[in-house]
Amino acid sequence: RSAEMMDEKLRNIQWKGTLHDALYEDALRRQKKQAECESILPEGVTFQPSVGNGSRAGGVRPTPRDATEEDFYNRLAYEKAHRLAAKQQEEGHTNEASTSSSFRPSLGRPPLVERHGQQVAIGDFLYEAAREKASQQMKREAEEAQQIDRIASASHVSDVSRALFEESKRRRYHDLFTALVAGDPDGLL
């Protein structure tokens, strides 16, 4: 199958020179097309950074103080924040929300079950809660099993149907008995 595909491709390609030259030109063409596709940004993208490329307008280059590329990116990311914090400290307008030492995380809702009512350790509390939950689950399953047994053993026949069934059964036993007695001429039954 692959040989057929290659033969068809070779028939469609118009090349000059050797096959090696044609394949080389094809590879260059594909590389160029791939580079173009990678450089195209999707529609609606407005952010087009030019970090690290001094040839572009507004490009930023690494400075001698950046030992590694990671230092360079960290400097770009955090330099402005450090400058603003230093400026605020110089002016004496320290904002409580901007300093890292005054950070207070927002707390969520309190626990649904009070844990420290009995002043137990968290491990013991969780262990007891799991045991209690398991026992409640077992109790619920036992009640469901009993209910299923009650439903299965309960009669599903109405009183009228039961009376008809008993009458039919009585007649059948009577017919069977008379047939047996009729076949016993000696009267032993």
Side-chain angles (χ1 to χ4, degrees):
R1 172 103 178 123
S2 63
E4 292 173 11
M5 290 172 62
M6 283 304 298
D7 289 339
E8 185 175 332
K9 182 147 179 101
L10 288 175
R11 275 185 263 130
N12 292 339
I13 295 177
Q14 301 295 325
W15 74 81
K16 297 173 185 171
T18 65
L19 178 61
H20 179 269
D21 293 336
L23 290 174
Y24 181 74
E25 288 175 12
D26 185 49
L28 288 177
R29 183 183 50 79
R30 287 174 186 243
Q31 266 185 340
K32 184 178 177 182
K33 186 175 181 180
Q34 184 177 4
E36 287 174 4
C37 289
E38 288 175 355
S39 67
I40 296 174
L41 294 173
E43 188 175 320
V45 173
T46 58
F47 178 69
Q48 298 179 8
S50 59
V51 176
N53 187 358
S55 63
R56 286 183 167 171
V60 179
R61 292 185 181 173
T63 62
R65 66 181 173 174
D66 300 323
T68 63
E69 189 175 335
E70 184 178 347
D71 291 341
F72 170 64
Y73 288 118
N74 285 336
R75 179 176 59 84
L76 290 177
Y78 301 114
E79 192 173 58
K80 186 174 182 180
H82 290 297
R83 276 193 311 229
L84 289 174
K87 185 178 179 182
Q88 286 177 350
Q89 284 180 354
E90 287 174 5
E91 294 175 0
H93 301 294
T94 57
N95 186 358
E96 235 179 80
S98 66
T99 59
S100 62
S101 63
S102 66
F103 173 72
R104 301 273 189 252
S106 61
L107 301 176
R109 61 166 178 74
L112 297 175
V113 179
E114 184 63 36
R115 178 172 66 91
H116 289 292
Q118 303 164 355
Q119 295 296 324
V120 295
I122 186 67
D124 296 335
F125 172 77
L126 292 174
Y127 178 74
E128 288 300 321
R131 282 187 52 200
E132 185 177 321
K133 184 177 179 181
S135 68
Q136 289 175 352
Q137 179 69 21
M138 289 176 57
K139 183 179 176 183
R140 191 169 39 250
E141 288 173 358
E143 289 173 356
E144 288 174 2
Q146 287 176 353
Q147 185 177 3
I148 289 171
D149 288 343
R150 278 196 307 269
I151 290 171
S153 64
S155 177
H156 301 292
V157 181
S158 67
D159 293 335
V160 175
S161 296
R162 184 177 292 117
L164 288 173
F165 177 71
E166 292 296 328
E167 178 60 30
S168 172
K169 191 166 61 169
R170 188 192 63 72
R171 274 185 296 178
R172 182 159 301 216
Y173 286 147
H174 183 272
D175 292 344
L176 183 63
F177 180 74
T178 52
L180 287 174
V181 171
D184 183 25
D186 297 334
L188 297 174
L189 291 175

